[in-house]
């Protein structure tokens, strides 16, 4: 009787019938079934941020740069490229606003205080 081959459900590499761990990707394959058509589950992920969210992020970068740096820093580690790019822009914008605010404070009256 010829030895049957299985296919890894994650990377689609061929595996032996008695193998339960794929040598290519390390995925554990517990079931001996026919290869599935879809290897991974699709998860719901919002592809883009809506206008309201982008507006709030811009206002945060302008008026609260330290908070914008924290939010952008978290977004930098997201898997979605769009959100990662948004995080880069948010951190960069907040740093620019901090530099502008420091220049205004220093140049205002020669000290680090603002007098109205």
């Amino acid at each position: 009787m010829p030895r049957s081959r299985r296919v890894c459900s994650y990377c689609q590499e061929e595996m032996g019938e008695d193998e339960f761990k794929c040598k290519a990707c390390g995925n554990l394959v517990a079931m001996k079934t026919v290869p599935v058509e879809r290897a991974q589950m699709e998860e719901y992920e919002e592809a883009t941020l809506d206008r309201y969210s982008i507006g709030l992020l811009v206002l945060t970068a302008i008026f609260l740069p330290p908070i914008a740096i924290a939010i952008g820093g978290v977004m930098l580690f997201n898997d979605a490229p769009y959100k990662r790019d948004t995080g880069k822009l948010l951190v960069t914008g907040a740093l620019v606003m901090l530099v502008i605010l420091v220049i205004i404070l220093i140049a205002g009256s020669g000290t680090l205080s603002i007098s109205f």
Side-chain angles (χ1 to χ4, degrees):
M1 183 171 166
R3 195 170 189 179
S4 64
R5 302 293 287 173
R6 291 191 300 154
V7 177
C8 175
S9 61
Y10 186 74
C11 68
Q12 305 301 321
E13 290 290 324
E14 287 191 16
M15 300 172 51
E17 183 180 5
D18 57 345
E19 294 176 351
F20 291 98
K21 185 173 181 181
C22 179
K23 292 179 183 176
C25 68
N27 185 38
L28 291 175
V29 181
M31 297 178 60
K32 297 181 180 180
T33 58
V34 180
V36 294
E37 292 180 18
R38 189 176 298 163
Q40 300 171 348
M41 289 179 51
E42 293 180 14
E43 59 183 55
Y44 176 75
E45 185 174 335
E46 192 69 30
T48 59
L49 297 172
D50 60 350
R51 290 183 185 188
Y52 180 73
S53 297
I54 292 174
L56 285 177
L57 291 174
V58 168
L59 290 175
T60 303
I62 293 172
F63 294 111
L64 302 168
I67 294 173
I69 290 172
I71 293 170
V74 170
M75 291 178 77
L76 284 174
F77 295 103
N78 198 312
D79 289 336
Y82 178 77
K83 290 184 180 180
R84 195 170 37 239
D85 291 343
T86 303
K88 290 177 189 175
L89 290 173
L90 191 58
V91 169
T92 304
L95 289 173
V96 168
M97 283 305 299
L98 277 176
V99 168
I100 290 172
L101 289 174
V102 167
I103 291 172
I104 290 172
L105 286 173
I106 291 174
S109 63
T111 64
L112 292 177
S113 63
I114 297 176
S115 57
F116 293 105

